[in-house]
Amino acid sequence: MAGSTIALRLAEQGFSVSLFEEGPSLVNGPPICHLHAGGNLYRDISDEQCLQLLTQSVDTLRVYKHSANIRPTVIAVPIQDPGHPDLLLPRLTLLEQHYQALVQADAANAVLGEPDDYFRLYYREDLERLAQHEMPERATAPDDWMVPVAKHLNLDHFKFPIVLVQEYGVSVFRLAATVTLGLDALPNSQVRTHTKVTHIEQNSQTRKWQITYCSPGNDSSDCDSHTEDVDYLINACGYRTGTLDDMAHYQRKRLVEFKAAYVTRWEDSQAEWPEIIFHGQRGTPQGMAQLTPYPDGYFQLHGMTEDITLFKDGLVRSTEQSAQPVLNPLYKNMLRNGWQPSDIEQRTLRAIAHVAKHLPAYKTARVGGPPLFGAQQIPGTIPHYVLPMFRLMATTMPAQRSSKRPPH
Protein backbone atom coordinates (compact mmCIF):
# COMPACT_ATOMS: atom_id res chain seq x y z
CA MET A 1 0.00 0.00 0.00
CA ALA A 2 2.93 2.35 0.51
CA GLY A 3 4.01 2.10 -3.12
CA SER A 4 0.44 2.31 -4.38
CA THR A 5 -0.26 5.42 -2.32
CA ILE A 6 2.88 7.15 -3.57
CA ALA A 7 1.96 6.24 -7.16
CA LEU A 8 -1.52 7.72 -6.72
CA ARG A 9 -0.25 10.94 -5.14
CA LEU A 10 2.36 11.48 -7.87
CA ALA A 11 -0.11 10.68 -10.67
CA GLU A 12 -2.61 13.15 -9.21
CA GLN A 13 0.09 15.83 -9.51
CA GLY A 14 0.60 15.07 -13.20
CA PHE A 15 3.65 12.81 -13.10
CA SER A 16 3.74 9.82 -15.43
CA VAL A 17 3.80 6.79 -13.13
CA SER A 18 4.35 3.06 -13.68
CA LEU A 19 3.45 0.71 -10.83
CA PHE A 20 4.82 -2.84 -10.85
CA GLU A 21 2.89 -5.50 -8.91
CA GLU A 22 3.86 -9.16 -8.90
CA GLY A 23 0.41 -10.30 -7.75
CA PRO A 24 -2.84 -10.35 -9.71
CA SER A 25 -4.29 -7.25 -8.04
CA LEU A 26 -3.58 -4.44 -5.61
CA VAL A 27 -6.48 -5.77 -3.51
CA ASN A 28 -4.27 -8.30 -1.82
CA GLY A 29 -3.13 -9.57 1.56
CA PRO A 30 -4.75 -9.90 4.99
CA PRO A 31 -7.06 -7.20 6.32
CA ILE A 32 -5.58 -4.66 8.68
CA CYS A 33 -7.11 -5.42 12.04
CA HIS A 34 -6.27 -2.14 13.71
CA LEU A 35 -5.30 1.43 12.99
CA HIS A 36 -2.59 2.25 15.52
CA ALA A 37 -3.94 5.73 16.23
CA GLY A 38 -1.75 6.71 19.13
CA GLY A 39 -0.26 3.28 19.68
CA ASN A 40 -2.31 2.48 22.76
CA LEU A 41 -1.94 -1.21 22.00
CA TYR A 42 1.76 -0.95 22.87
CA ARG A 43 2.69 0.63 26.16
CA ASP A 44 6.46 0.18 25.72
CA ILE A 45 6.96 2.81 23.00
CA SER A 46 7.79 6.45 23.61
CA ASP A 47 5.31 9.33 23.84
CA GLU A 48 6.95 10.81 20.76
CA GLN A 49 6.22 7.65 18.75
CA CYS A 50 2.62 7.66 20.00
CA LEU A 51 2.09 11.25 18.87
CA GLN A 52 3.66 10.45 15.51
CA LEU A 53 1.38 7.45 15.04
CA LEU A 54 -1.70 9.52 15.89
CA THR A 55 -0.76 12.19 13.35
CA GLN A 56 -0.02 9.60 10.67
CA SER A 57 -3.28 7.78 11.36
CA VAL A 58 -5.20 11.02 10.86
CA ASP A 59 -3.31 11.60 7.61
CA THR A 60 -4.12 8.07 6.46
CA LEU A 61 -7.84 8.37 7.12
CA ARG A 62 -7.96 11.72 5.39
CA VAL A 63 -6.66 10.02 2.24
CA TYR A 64 -8.65 6.79 2.66
CA LYS A 65 -11.76 8.06 4.41
CA HIS A 66 -13.89 5.05 3.48
CA SER A 67 -11.48 2.43 4.79
CA ALA A 68 -12.22 2.73 8.52
CA ASN A 69 -14.29 0.25 10.47
CA ILE A 70 -15.85 2.71 12.90
CA ARG A 71 -15.68 0.99 16.26
CA PRO A 72 -13.77 1.91 19.41
CA THR A 73 -11.09 -0.14 21.14
CA VAL A 74 -11.21 -1.38 24.72
CA ILE A 75 -7.93 -1.75 26.64
CA ALA A 76 -8.00 -4.05 29.65
CA VAL A 77 -5.13 -4.91 32.02
CA PRO A 78 -5.37 -8.41 33.58
CA ILE A 79 -4.64 -8.92 37.28
CA GLN A 80 -1.54 -11.04 36.57
CA ASP A 81 -0.02 -8.35 34.33
CA PRO A 82 2.69 -6.19 35.98
CA GLY A 83 1.30 -3.01 34.45
CA HIS A 84 -1.51 -0.83 35.77
CA PRO A 85 -4.19 1.17 33.93
CA ASP A 86 -3.28 4.33 35.84
CA LEU A 87 0.06 4.34 33.98
CA LEU A 88 -1.85 4.68 30.69
CA LEU A 89 -3.70 7.83 31.70
CA PRO A 90 -0.97 10.47 31.20
CA ARG A 91 -0.38 9.17 27.66
CA LEU A 92 -4.09 9.08 26.85
CA THR A 93 -4.44 12.67 28.06
CA LEU A 94 -1.44 13.72 25.96
CA LEU A 95 -2.92 12.05 22.87
CA GLU A 96 -6.33 13.61 23.47
CA GLN A 97 -4.72 17.06 23.67
CA HIS A 98 -2.72 16.40 20.49
CA TYR A 99 -5.83 15.23 18.63
CA GLN A 100 -7.69 18.32 19.87
CA ALA A 101 -4.90 20.53 18.50
CA LEU A 102 -5.00 18.75 15.12
CA VAL A 103 -8.75 19.28 14.85
CA GLN A 104 -8.49 22.92 15.91
CA ALA A 105 -5.87 23.46 13.20
CA ASP A 106 -8.09 21.80 10.56
CA ALA A 107 -11.63 20.53 11.16
CA ALA A 108 -11.09 17.88 8.47
CA ASN A 109 -8.72 16.14 10.88
CA ALA A 110 -11.67 14.98 13.00
CA VAL A 111 -11.52 11.47 11.51
CA LEU A 112 -11.48 9.69 14.89
CA GLY A 113 -14.64 11.25 16.28
CA GLU A 114 -14.92 14.23 18.59
CA PRO A 115 -11.71 15.06 20.49
CA ASP A 116 -13.59 15.37 23.80
CA ASP A 117 -14.65 11.73 23.39
CA TYR A 118 -11.18 10.41 22.53
CA PHE A 119 -11.15 8.14 25.57
CA ARG A 120 -13.39 7.19 28.46
CA LEU A 121 -12.67 5.31 31.69
CA TYR A 122 -14.86 2.56 33.12
CA TYR A 123 -14.51 1.44 36.75
CA ARG A 124 -15.86 -1.77 38.21
CA GLU A 125 -19.10 -0.20 39.41
CA ASP A 126 -19.69 1.23 35.90
CA LEU A 127 -19.33 -2.20 34.32
CA GLU A 128 -21.48 -3.89 36.95
CA ARG A 129 -24.20 -1.36 36.14
CA LEU A 130 -23.86 -1.87 32.37
CA ALA A 131 -23.96 -5.65 32.80
CA GLN A 132 -27.61 -5.25 33.86
CA HIS A 133 -28.56 -3.48 30.62
CA GLU A 134 -30.24 -5.15 27.68
CA MET A 135 -27.90 -5.82 24.77
CA PRO A 136 -28.36 -2.86 22.37
CA GLU A 137 -29.41 -3.72 18.82
CA ARG A 138 -26.90 -1.19 17.52
CA ALA A 139 -24.09 0.57 19.36
CA THR A 140 -24.40 4.34 19.00
CA ALA A 141 -22.82 5.56 22.25
CA PRO A 142 -19.75 4.56 24.31
CA ASP A 143 -21.86 2.75 26.92
CA ASP A 144 -23.52 0.67 24.18
CA TRP A 145 -20.15 -0.70 23.11
CA MET A 146 -19.31 -1.59 26.69
CA VAL A 147 -22.47 -3.60 27.43
CA PRO A 148 -21.26 -6.89 25.84
CA VAL A 149 -17.84 -6.36 27.44
CA ALA A 150 -19.43 -5.89 30.87
CA LYS A 151 -21.65 -8.95 30.45
CA HIS A 152 -18.86 -11.31 29.37
CA LEU A 153 -15.67 -10.29 31.17
CA ASN A 154 -14.82 -11.89 34.50
CA LEU A 155 -14.35 -8.61 36.35
CA ASP A 156 -12.39 -10.31 39.13
CA HIS A 157 -9.58 -10.91 36.63
CA PHE A 158 -8.91 -7.26 35.74
CA LYS A 159 -7.47 -4.06 37.14
CA PHE A 160 -9.48 -0.86 36.84
CA PRO A 161 -10.21 1.39 35.12
CA ILE A 162 -10.78 -0.27 31.76
CA VAL A 163 -10.30 2.19 28.88
CA LEU A 164 -12.45 2.82 25.81
CA VAL A 165 -10.46 4.75 23.16
CA GLN A 166 -11.32 5.89 19.65
CA GLU A 167 -8.84 3.75 17.75
CA TYR A 168 -10.54 2.21 14.74
CA GLY A 169 -9.93 -0.76 12.49
CA VAL A 170 -9.06 -0.42 8.81
CA SER A 171 -10.14 -2.58 5.87
CA VAL A 172 -7.17 -3.09 3.57
CA PHE A 173 -9.61 -4.28 0.91
CA ARG A 174 -11.46 -0.95 0.87
CA LEU A 175 -8.16 0.89 1.09
CA ALA A 176 -6.68 -1.05 -1.85
CA ALA A 177 -9.89 -0.73 -3.86
CA THR A 178 -9.78 3.04 -3.38
CA VAL A 179 -6.24 3.35 -4.69
CA THR A 180 -7.00 0.96 -7.59
CA LEU A 181 -10.01 3.02 -8.69
CA GLY A 182 -7.97 6.22 -8.34
CA LEU A 183 -5.10 4.94 -10.48
CA ASP A 184 -7.49 3.49 -13.08
CA ALA A 185 -9.07 6.93 -13.50
CA LEU A 186 -5.76 8.70 -14.22
CA PRO A 187 -4.49 8.45 -17.83
CA ASN A 188 -0.87 9.08 -16.74
CA SER A 189 -0.73 6.00 -14.47
CA GLN A 190 0.16 2.51 -15.67
CA VAL A 191 -0.52 -0.39 -13.29
CA ARG A 192 1.28 -3.57 -14.34
CA THR A 193 -0.05 -6.58 -12.43
CA HIS A 194 1.32 -10.14 -12.78
CA THR A 195 4.67 -8.40 -13.28
CA LYS A 196 7.92 -9.28 -11.55
CA VAL A 197 10.89 -6.89 -11.51
CA THR A 198 14.00 -8.96 -12.23
CA HIS A 199 16.74 -6.31 -12.48
CA ILE A 200 17.30 -2.59 -11.93
CA GLU A 201 20.28 -0.51 -12.96
CA GLN A 202 21.07 3.20 -12.90
CA ASN A 203 22.78 4.86 -15.86
CA SER A 204 25.83 6.72 -14.53
CA GLN A 205 25.53 9.49 -17.16
CA THR A 206 21.78 10.16 -17.36
CA ARG A 207 21.01 9.05 -13.78
CA LYS A 208 17.90 7.32 -15.16
CA TRP A 209 16.90 3.90 -13.87
CA GLN A 210 16.32 0.98 -16.21
CA ILE A 211 13.80 -1.52 -14.87
CA THR A 212 13.80 -5.01 -16.33
CA TYR A 213 10.59 -6.88 -15.67
CA CYS A 214 8.86 -10.09 -16.60
CA SER A 215 5.20 -10.21 -17.59
CA PRO A 216 3.02 -13.13 -18.74
CA GLY A 217 3.36 -14.14 -22.38
CA ASN A 218 0.72 -15.64 -24.66
CA ASP A 219 1.24 -18.98 -22.96
CA SER A 220 0.58 -18.90 -19.23
CA SER A 221 3.91 -20.66 -18.65
CA ASP A 222 5.84 -18.05 -20.64
CA CYS A 223 7.33 -14.87 -19.24
CA ASP A 224 8.25 -12.07 -21.62
CA SER A 225 11.11 -9.80 -20.56
CA HIS A 226 10.80 -6.02 -21.05
CA THR A 227 12.62 -2.89 -19.94
CA GLU A 228 11.44 0.59 -18.99
CA ASP A 229 13.51 3.70 -18.27
CA VAL A 230 12.36 6.04 -15.50
CA ASP A 231 13.65 9.23 -13.89
CA TYR A 232 12.98 8.12 -10.31
CA LEU A 233 12.58 4.73 -8.72
CA ILE A 234 10.56 4.35 -5.51
CA ASN A 235 11.21 1.04 -3.80
CA ALA A 236 8.21 0.02 -1.68
CA CYS A 237 8.01 -3.76 -2.01
CA GLY A 238 6.76 -4.73 1.42
CA TYR A 239 8.83 -7.29 3.24
CA ARG A 240 10.85 -7.95 0.06
CA THR A 241 12.04 -4.35 -0.34
CA GLY A 242 15.61 -5.54 0.29
CA THR A 243 15.66 -7.55 -2.93
CA LEU A 244 15.56 -4.33 -4.97
CA ASP A 245 18.05 -2.67 -2.64
CA ASP A 246 20.43 -5.55 -3.40
CA MET A 247 19.93 -5.08 -7.15
CA ALA A 248 20.75 -1.37 -6.74
CA HIS A 249 23.73 -2.15 -4.43
CA TYR A 250 22.36 -0.23 -1.45
CA GLN A 251 23.09 -1.46 2.05
CA ARG A 252 20.12 -1.21 4.39
CA LYS A 253 19.44 -2.32 7.93
CA ARG A 254 16.02 -3.83 8.52
CA LEU A 255 14.17 -6.73 10.06
CA VAL A 256 11.40 -8.93 8.73
CA GLU A 257 8.94 -10.78 10.95
CA PHE A 258 6.56 -13.58 10.02
CA LYS A 259 3.28 -13.36 12.00
CA ALA A 260 -0.29 -14.61 11.83
CA ALA A 261 -3.79 -13.84 13.07
CA TYR A 262 -6.64 -16.32 13.19
CA VAL A 263 -10.18 -16.29 11.84
CA THR A 264 -12.77 -17.67 14.25
CA ARG A 265 -16.55 -17.95 14.37
CA TRP A 266 -18.39 -17.31 17.63
CA GLU A 267 -22.00 -18.07 16.83
CA ASP A 268 -23.13 -17.61 20.45
CA SER A 269 -22.53 -13.87 20.23
CA GLN A 270 -25.22 -11.65 18.74
CA ALA A 271 -23.76 -8.40 20.05
CA GLU A 272 -21.98 -5.55 18.29
CA TRP A 273 -18.50 -5.69 19.81
CA PRO A 274 -15.67 -3.19 20.08
CA GLU A 275 -12.13 -4.33 19.45
CA ILE A 276 -10.56 -5.52 22.72
CA ILE A 277 -6.89 -5.49 23.69
CA PHE A 278 -5.88 -7.51 26.74
CA HIS A 279 -2.44 -6.26 27.71
CA GLY A 280 0.30 -8.80 28.31
CA GLN A 281 4.03 -9.38 28.01
CA ARG A 282 5.04 -10.28 24.48
CA GLY A 283 6.56 -13.71 23.97
CA THR A 284 5.34 -15.11 27.30
CA PRO A 285 2.33 -17.40 27.80
CA GLN A 286 0.55 -14.24 29.04
CA GLY A 287 1.25 -12.30 25.83
CA MET A 288 -1.16 -9.62 24.66
CA ALA A 289 -4.49 -10.92 23.31
CA GLN A 290 -6.49 -9.06 20.67
CA LEU A 291 -10.13 -9.66 19.71
CA THR A 292 -11.25 -8.00 16.46
CA PRO A 293 -14.93 -8.23 15.46
CA TYR A 294 -16.27 -8.66 11.95
CA PRO A 295 -19.86 -9.23 10.77
CA ASP A 296 -21.84 -12.45 11.20
CA GLY A 297 -20.04 -13.69 14.30
CA TYR A 298 -16.53 -13.73 12.82
CA PHE A 299 -13.64 -12.55 14.97
CA GLN A 300 -9.95 -12.20 14.22
CA LEU A 301 -7.60 -13.16 17.06
CA HIS A 302 -4.01 -12.33 17.94
CA GLY A 303 -2.05 -13.80 20.82
CA MET A 304 1.48 -12.50 21.26
CA THR A 305 3.02 -15.86 22.11
CA GLU A 306 5.22 -18.14 20.02
CA ASP A 307 2.41 -20.71 19.95
CA ILE A 308 -0.08 -18.31 18.34
CA THR A 309 0.80 -15.08 16.50
CA LEU A 310 4.60 -15.20 16.87
CA PHE A 311 6.81 -17.93 15.42
CA LYS A 312 10.09 -19.40 16.56
CA ASP A 313 12.88 -17.85 14.45
CA GLY A 314 10.21 -15.74 12.73
CA LEU A 315 12.18 -12.49 13.25
CA VAL A 316 15.18 -12.18 10.92
CA ARG A 317 17.71 -9.43 10.17
CA SER A 318 19.51 -8.07 7.16
CA THR A 319 23.27 -8.68 6.90
CA GLU A 320 26.31 -6.83 5.60
CA GLN A 321 26.00 -8.94 2.44
CA SER A 322 22.28 -8.40 1.77
CA ALA A 323 19.62 -5.82 2.61
CA GLN A 324 16.99 -8.56 2.44
CA PRO A 325 16.43 -10.56 5.63
CA VAL A 326 16.06 -14.26 4.82
CA LEU A 327 13.04 -16.03 6.28
CA ASN A 328 13.06 -19.67 7.32
CA PRO A 329 12.19 -21.76 4.21
CA LEU A 330 9.19 -23.14 6.12
CA TYR A 331 7.68 -19.66 6.41
CA LYS A 332 8.52 -18.76 2.81
CA ASN A 333 6.69 -21.90 1.73
CA MET A 334 3.68 -20.91 3.84
CA LEU A 335 3.66 -17.48 2.19
CA ARG A 336 3.67 -19.10 -1.26
CA ASN A 337 1.47 -22.13 -0.73
CA GLY A 338 -0.59 -21.61 2.42
CA TRP A 339 -0.90 -23.71 5.57
CA GLN A 340 -1.44 -27.35 6.37
CA PRO A 341 -4.97 -28.00 7.75
CA SER A 342 -3.54 -29.46 10.97
CA ASP A 343 -1.53 -26.28 11.63
CA ILE A 344 -4.61 -24.11 11.00
CA GLU A 345 -6.64 -26.13 13.48
CA GLN A 346 -3.96 -26.29 16.14
CA ARG A 347 -2.95 -22.62 16.19
CA THR A 348 -6.51 -21.30 15.85
CA LEU A 349 -7.67 -23.38 18.81
CA ARG A 350 -4.73 -22.06 20.83
CA ALA A 351 -5.79 -18.51 19.95
CA ILE A 352 -9.37 -19.25 21.07
CA ALA A 353 -8.11 -20.67 24.38
CA HIS A 354 -5.86 -17.64 24.88
CA VAL A 355 -8.77 -15.20 24.48
CA ALA A 356 -11.04 -17.41 26.59
CA LYS A 357 -8.70 -16.86 29.55
CA HIS A 358 -10.08 -13.32 29.62
CA LEU A 359 -13.47 -13.90 27.99
CA PRO A 360 -14.64 -17.31 29.25
CA ALA A 361 -17.66 -17.59 26.94
CA TYR A 362 -15.34 -17.46 23.93
CA LYS A 363 -14.37 -21.10 24.51
CA THR A 364 -17.34 -22.08 22.30
CA ALA A 365 -15.79 -20.37 19.25
CA ARG A 366 -14.54 -22.50 16.37
CA VAL A 367 -12.16 -22.21 13.42
CA GLY A 368 -13.70 -19.75 10.97
CA GLY A 369 -11.30 -19.98 8.04
CA PRO A 370 -7.62 -19.98 7.09
CA PRO A 371 -5.27 -17.72 9.08
CA LEU A 372 -4.41 -14.18 8.02
CA PHE A 373 -0.64 -14.16 7.82
CA GLY A 374 2.30 -12.42 6.27
CA ALA A 375 5.78 -11.02 6.72
CA GLN A 376 6.21 -7.48 8.04
CA GLN A 377 9.17 -5.23 7.30
CA ILE A 378 10.58 -3.28 10.27
CA PRO A 379 13.09 -0.54 9.29
CA GLY A 380 16.25 -0.29 11.38
CA THR A 381 17.75 -2.74 13.83
CA ILE A 382 15.32 -2.59 16.78
CA PRO A 383 12.13 -4.68 16.62
CA HIS A 384 9.61 -1.87 17.07
CA TYR A 385 6.60 -4.16 16.94
CA VAL A 386 4.17 -1.28 16.76
CA LEU A 387 5.21 -0.26 13.26
CA PRO A 388 2.40 -1.13 10.84
CA MET A 389 2.45 -0.52 7.11
CA PHE A 390 0.77 2.82 7.79
CA ARG A 391 4.04 4.24 9.07
CA LEU A 392 5.67 3.86 5.67
CA MET A 393 2.52 4.85 3.82
CA ALA A 394 1.83 7.98 5.81
CA THR A 395 5.41 9.24 5.79
CA THR A 396 6.00 8.73 2.07
CA MET A 397 2.83 10.28 0.64
CA PRO A 398 4.46 13.59 -0.41
CA ALA A 399 6.05 13.44 -3.87
CA GLN A 400 9.76 12.64 -3.97
CA ARG A 401 10.77 15.62 -6.10
CA SER A 402 14.57 15.74 -6.11
CA SER A 403 15.98 12.47 -4.84
CA LYS A 404 18.76 10.96 -6.93
CA ARG A 405 18.41 7.57 -5.33
CA PRO A 406 15.54 5.33 -4.31
CA PRO A 407 13.83 6.78 -1.23
CA HIS A 408 14.05 4.39 1.70
Side-chain angles (χ1 to χ4, degrees):
M1 286 314 305
S4 301
T5 300
I6 298 166
L8 178 61
R9 301 291 282 195
L10 291 175
E12 286 174 339
Q13 296 178 52
F15 292 91
S16 178
V17 175
S18 292
L19 180 68
F20 297 86
E21 167 56 47
E22 187 173 351
S25 168
L26 298 182
V27 183
N28 197 322
I32 299 170
C33 59
H34 201 95
L35 180 62
H36 299 270
N40 288 300
L41 281 70
Y42 299 92
R43 55 195 168 184
D44 52 352
I45 64 173
S46 68
D47 287 349
E48 181 182 359
Q49 287 173 310
C50 286
L51 294 172
Q52 184 182 23
L53 282 167
L54 177 60
T55 302
Q56 292 168 353
S57 298
V58 169
D59 290 342
T60 298
L61 286 183
R62 288 195 61 171
V63 176
Y64 295 108
K65 61 182 68 175
H66 303 298
S67 66
N69 294 316
I70 307 296
R71 57 174 181 253
T73 295
V74 171
I75 301 172
V77 181
I79 287 287
Q80 76 272 10
D81 187 83
H84 195 278
D86 287 346
L87 300 177
L88 306 176
L89 303 186
R91 175 169 290 177
L92 286 163
T93 301
L94 177 67
L95 290 167
E96 182 181 62
Q97 292 170 348
H98 184 62
Y99 182 46
Q100 178 79 57
L102 291 173
V103 174
Q104 287 178 345
D106 187 344
N109 285 330
V111 294
L112 297 170
E114 292 299 321
D116 290 343
D117 297 328
Y118 181 70
F119 75 95
R120 183 172 296 200
L121 305 179
Y122 287 85
Y123 291 87
R124 180 165 186 145
E125 55 270 27
D126 300 320
L127 295 174
E128 289 174 343
R129 172 180 53 81
L130 289 173
Q132 305 306 312
H133 288 204
E134 293 292 328
M135 203 77 79
E137 290 186 11
R138 183 163 182 80
T140 58
D143 282 1
D144 295 340
W145 290 104
M146 293 301 292
V147 170
V149 177
K151 285 181 176 292
H152 287 88
L153 286 191
N154 185 337
L155 300 183
D156 291 335
H157 290 183
F158 292 91
K159 301 174 185 178
F160 295 92
I162 288 175
V163 180
L164 182 78
V165 61
Q166 289 179 173
E167 293 194 12
Y168 299 155
V170 168
S171 167
V172 77
F173 302 115
R174 280 184 246 138
L175 193 149
T178 300
V179 76
T180 299
L181 291 169
L183 288 168
D184 285 348
L186 294 168
N188 52 317
S189 71
Q190 173 74 44
V191 179
R192 304 183 188 277
T193 55
H194 294 285
T195 300
K196 181 178 178 64
V197 173
T198 57
H199 184 72
I200 59 174
E201 188 172 349
Q202 188 175 34
N203 186 298
S204 58
Q205 276 79 44
T206 66
R207 307 298 294 171
K208 287 181 177 287
W209 289 91
Q210 184 176 82
I211 302 172
T212 303
Y213 60 94
C214 182
S215 59
N218 294 327
D219 187 315
S220 59
S221 61
D222 291 340
C223 184
D224 295 335
S225 184
H226 308 273
T227 61
E228 181 170 340
D229 292 337
V230 296
D231 295 304
Y232 299 98
L233 171 62
I234 297 174
N235 179 10
C237 300
Y239 86 94
R240 291 179 291 185
T241 293
T243 59
L244 265 68
D245 287 334
D246 286 348
M247 292 179 195
H249 307 294
Y250 285 113
Q251 284 192 329
R252 307 290 196 204
K253 292 183 178 180
R254 62 167 62 87
L255 301 96
V256 163
E257 184 170 32
F258 182 85
K259 293 191 289 190
Y262 300 88
V263 179
T264 63
R265 187 90 186 274
W266 189 25
E267 295 180 352
D268 293 345
S269 174
Q270 305 300 319
E272 192 169 12
W273 283 80
E275 188 149 14
I276 307 180
I277 306 300
F278 301 102
H279 271 179
Q281 293 179 292
R282 178 189 168 96
T284 72
Q286 290 75 43
M288 185 186 79
Q290 183 172 345
L291 177 80
T292 304
Y294 289 96
D296 300 324
Y298 285 93
F299 291 81
Q300 177 181 336
L301 307 184
H302 285 79
M304 291 302 176
T305 80
E306 284 194 350
D307 290 333
I308 304 174
T309 290
L310 309 178
F311 288 76
K312 185 177 181 180
D313 302 323
L315 181 68
V316 291
R317 301 173 183 272
S318 56
T319 66
E320 294 298 322
Q321 291 73 40
S322 174
Q324 179 59 48
V326 179
L327 281 171
N328 184 312
L330 172 65
Y331 305 143
K332 292 172 73 173
N333 181 64
M334 292 166 75
L335 287 167
R336 288 193 302 268
N337 302 314
W339 290 41
Q340 294 296 319
S342 59
D343 292 334
I344 296 174
E345 180 85 7
Q346 185 180 58
R347 283 200 170 239
T348 304
L349 292 179
R350 287 176 188 164
I352 291 170
H354 191 59
V355 169
K357 293 177 186 176
H358 308 296
L359 201 67
Y362 206 81
K363 64 185 179 183
T364 62
R366 294 291 178 262
V367 177
L372 307 168
F373 60 98
Q376 173 187 8
Q377 179 192 149
I378 306 170
T381 59
I382 301 173
H384 291 294
Y385 301 112
V386 71
L387 298 176
M389 69 175 69
F390 286 104
R391 179 173 192 219
L392 180 58
M393 182 170 70
T395 54
T396 54
M397 282 193 290
Q400 305 290 342
R401 299 174 187 272
S402 59
S403 175
K404 293 297 184 183
R405 45 188 257 176
H408 181 218

